[in-house]
Amino acid sequence: MAKLTAEIKESLAATKTAYFATAAKDGTPNAVPIGAYKLLDDETILVSDQYFNKTLANIKENPRVALTFWGEKGGYQIKGTVTIHTSGTIFTEDVAWVKSLKATLEPKSAIVMKITGVYTIKPGPDAGKKIL
Amino acid sequence: MAKLTAEIKESLAATKTAYFATAAKDGTPNAVPIGAYKLLDDETILVSDQYFNKTLANIKENPRVALTFWGEKGGYQIKGTVTIHTSGTIFTEDVAWVKSLKATLEPKSAIVMKITGVYTIKPGPDAGKKIL
């Protein structure tokens, strides 16, 4: 597990769209833009699934994911592993949160990402360096 | 192979930053923002590598990639397979092109992506649909 720093948390909060990458069993990567994500705590990100298709199929067979973002306050690549929740408290709270953002959205699952590492993505010789 | 339509080509040309996703042999995805990419022809995208780290390590063991972008004229996810060029005409032309964008950049390799499919990424019931 890795604990996000204040700087990384601010950067994530200032970013409206992140790119959520997964991979199929055969190694084919998949990356999609997402907007419904937030921190649950310093080691955990919630991603709400309204329209996932290949992303959901991939994480059912391979829980490894990467979340990459570059917003108004810089960006990072965060790696982790996920669990999928379609009932229970985590799912219920996800539905309430997403509907508070836009009442017409219908979450299908709540994806909980435990953070395993954070990497720089700023162009330059340090690009890709593991920082957490 | 898949041939990009005029609409997809316009969308790509209007996007300054795309996200380039790869996967390691163990299935860990990696996604990084890139700016130095262009079409070579309707079935082929050139991605210039100045600072790739994990991306390069991944494509050396697994040539499957995804390029996802959302710019001023919408966006798509393009999937393909790559070859890496560090000498020869393709590399020489890549270096000349990148240096014409910014003289201080030093390409390490030219990555040639043959397009195998294109997918919608617009939120909604059609998200993830294969269109090419």
Side-chain angles (χ1 to χ4, degrees), chain A residues 17 19 21-24 26-33 51-54 58 62 64-66 68-70 77 79 119-129, chain B residues 17 19 21-24 26-33 51-54 58 62 64-66 68-70 77 79 119-129:
Chain A
T17 302
Y19 286 77
T22 58
D26 74 355
T28 304
N30 194 80
V32 294
Y51 305 114
F52 285 161
N53 179 339
K54 189 63 176 165
N58 283 355
N62 170 15
R64 297 176 184 89
V65 303
T68 302
F69 57 96
W70 190 275
Q77 177 174 201
K79 296 201 180 182
Y119 301 79
T120 63
I121 52 169
K122 201 176 170 182
D126 280 345
K129 197 176 159 187
Chain B
T17 303
Y19 286 77
T22 59
D26 74 356
T28 303
N30 195 80
V32 295
Y51 304 114
F52 285 161
N53 180 339
K54 189 63 178 167
N58 283 355
N62 171 15
R64 297 176 183 90
V65 303
T68 303
F69 57 95
W70 189 275
Q77 178 173 202
K79 295 200 182 185
Y119 301 78
T120 63
I121 52 170
K122 201 176 169 182
D126 279 346
K129 198 176 160 187

Side-chain angles (χ1 to χ4, degrees), chain A residues 7 10-12 14-15 71-76:
Chain A
E7 198 178 347
E10 271 176 36
S11 173
L12 184 65
T15 304
E72 284 175 23
K73 294 187 176 179
Y76 299 89

Side-chain angles (χ1 to χ4, degrees), chain A residues 80-123:
Chain A
T81 55
V82 296
T83 49
I84 305 166
H85 301 257
T86 56
S87 64
T89 308
I90 288 174
F91 180 64
T92 308
E93 289 181 1
D94 173 61
V95 173
W97 170 62
V98 168
K99 286 193 171 289
S100 77
L101 301 176
K102 195 175 174 187
T104 55
L105 291 175
E106 297 282 355
K108 295 184 297 173
S109 56
I111 294 163
V112 174
M113 173 181 174
K114 282 285 169 192
I115 298 166
T116 54
V118 180
Y119 301 79
T120 63
I121 52 169
K122 201 176 170 182

